[in-house]
Amino acid sequence: MSEEKSPLGGKMSRTFELSRDGRQVYETLSVDRGKSRGPLVVRYVFDIAIPKNAQAGHDSDPDQPVLKRHPDESNRSSQ
């Protein structure tokens, strides 16, 4: 987790989580916008893509994951 201050003095935090199956990474960005406006939370979900050479049976470097971004459909709310 990292914590930062926005240019206007608000607080921001960013967290990263690996899914239980190790196939996705979740990034959550939280911004404190003050009491009257409430918090803003943005969640990104990244699929860990399998490199083409790994699909062909070659070893890949686990320290160099390839990420593919897609929208997180599970947390959508009507606004």
Side-chain angles (χ1 to χ4, degrees), residues 3 7 24 26 34 37 39 51-53 62 64 66 68 73 75:
E3 292 186 4
Q24 294 179 320
Y26 307 114
R37 295 180 71 196
K52 290 181 182 180
N53 64 352
Q64 298 295 322
V66 178
K68 179 177 70 175
E73 306 264 336
N75 260 351

Side-chain angles (χ1 to χ4, degrees), residues 10-54:
K11 295 180 184 178
M12 299 188 304
S13 67
R14 183 180 308 246
T15 60
F16 295 91
E17 299 174 65
L18 183 62
S19 66
R20 289 183 186 217
D21 63 6
R23 294 177 182 230
Q24 294 179 320
V25 174
Y26 307 114
E27 176 185 1
T28 305
L29 176 65
S30 300
V31 180
D32 180 8
R33 301 185 306 168
K35 293 179 184 178
S36 63
R37 295 180 71 196
L40 171 67
V41 178
V42 179
R43 186 167 193 197
Y44 296 101
V45 178
F46 298 91
D47 286 338
I48 299 177
I50 300 171
K52 290 181 182 180
N53 64 352

